[in-house]
Amino acid sequence: MRYVVGYSANARGRDAVNLAVSLARGRGASLDLVVAIPDAGVFNAAHAPAAGYDSYLHQQAGEWLDEALSLIPADVPAKAHVRSGESDAQTLIEACDEFQADMLIIGATSSGLFKRFTVGSVASALLHAATVPVALAPHGYHRRDALTRVSCGLGSRAGAEKLLDFAVSMAVNREVPLRVVSLLTLDAGDSDEAADAAREYANKHLAAALPADSSGAAPAAKADVVVAQGRSVEEAVDRLDWEDGEILLIGSSRLARSRSIFLGSTANRILRALPVPMIVVPSDYELKHQNQSPSIDTSREAQA
């Protein structure tokens, strides 16, 4: 497996590298660190750069990548690349195609003391156009050990089954627990009935997504269903317990084109409150690495 890491010589770039190392260690993946620089063609005659500017950009990008490689531990294979294009987002998307990447990893921008995610212009463009899963590292992300749990935000819209398939595969192949999360914003009078319905829906789809095990082998992981309620999506997210080594998977909005990403309003609200990394999976994304894996146990967890 190969992960492309969009690197910039700042805290955001280091956040992305840390998350990439964590994700790679749990899956034996290699990293392709990419610094995107402007293509000469983006300048018009009136604003053409001075002679030698392109050479300077490549030299500077190479120095940044040397710094990035120094952050990668010896047990994680990594290569460095300088690529140019009309925009950073387009350059990273093309790099994913070039390296046949399984995931694109980027850092979020800081939004103040208490908020850990803000989607900047490059991330926003990627979350509307990428055709591979995009992993977002929150501001200040420092963890480099492998993941300890995969959570999956399950909604009731079309495409939820494929997202759950992705989550099951990710949890089983990494041998970590899976948590299926339903977020509800409800009035008190409706909460119990709606929570029961959400839990039943999630358990039904989880059972359908789990791989069959005819070998009698020991289960690789455990799966739980959790329903979290709040007066807002943000409050529901806050009421959940999050592990340091956890990541949340969400799917694209129903407005996304097939096999592409579109971040909807609910996902944006989740992002603002989330204390752990998020992976956004494109609409109708098909797994390229479907390994045969043991089944996982399911159990119900009390309402959060």
Side-chain angles (χ1 to χ4, degrees), residues 109-124:
T109 58
S110 174
S111 60
L113 184 61
F114 299 108
K115 297 298 184 181
R116 307 199 59 195
F117 276 106
T118 293
V119 177
S121 58
V122 174
S124 179

Side-chain angles (χ1 to χ4, degrees), residues 76-193:
V76 178
K79 296 180 180 179
H81 314 272
V82 179
R83 292 293 183 270
S84 59
E86 294 185 1
S87 71
D88 289 354
Q90 186 60 36
T91 300
L92 291 174
I93 289 172
E94 290 173 354
C96 288
D97 290 338
E98 176 185 351
F99 302 125
Q100 297 185 322
D102 300 277
M103 191 179 299
L104 172 61
I105 303 168
I106 58 176
T109 58
S110 174
S111 60
L113 184 61
F114 299 108
K115 297 298 184 181
R116 307 199 59 195
F117 276 106
T118 293
V119 177
S121 58
V122 174
S124 179
L126 289 169
L127 292 173
H128 287 77
T131 56
V132 298
V134 175
L136 291 164
H139 176 63
Y141 190 75
H142 62 274
R143 183 182 176 84
R144 296 161 68 84
D145 294 330
L147 297 183
T148 60
R149 183 166 68 182
V150 172
S151 280
C152 176
L154 184 68
S156 58
R157 292 173 177 168
E161 297 86 354
K162 291 201 173 186
L163 174 64
L164 196 50
D165 288 342
F166 184 94
V168 167
S169 177
M170 186 173 184
V172 170
N173 289 329
R174 292 169 182 270
E175 299 185 358
V176 298
L178 171 66
R179 181 171 67 160
V180 180
V181 175
S182 291
L183 302 175
L184 300 180
T185 54
L186 300 168
D187 295 329
D190 302 326
S191 60
D192 291 342
E193 182 179 349

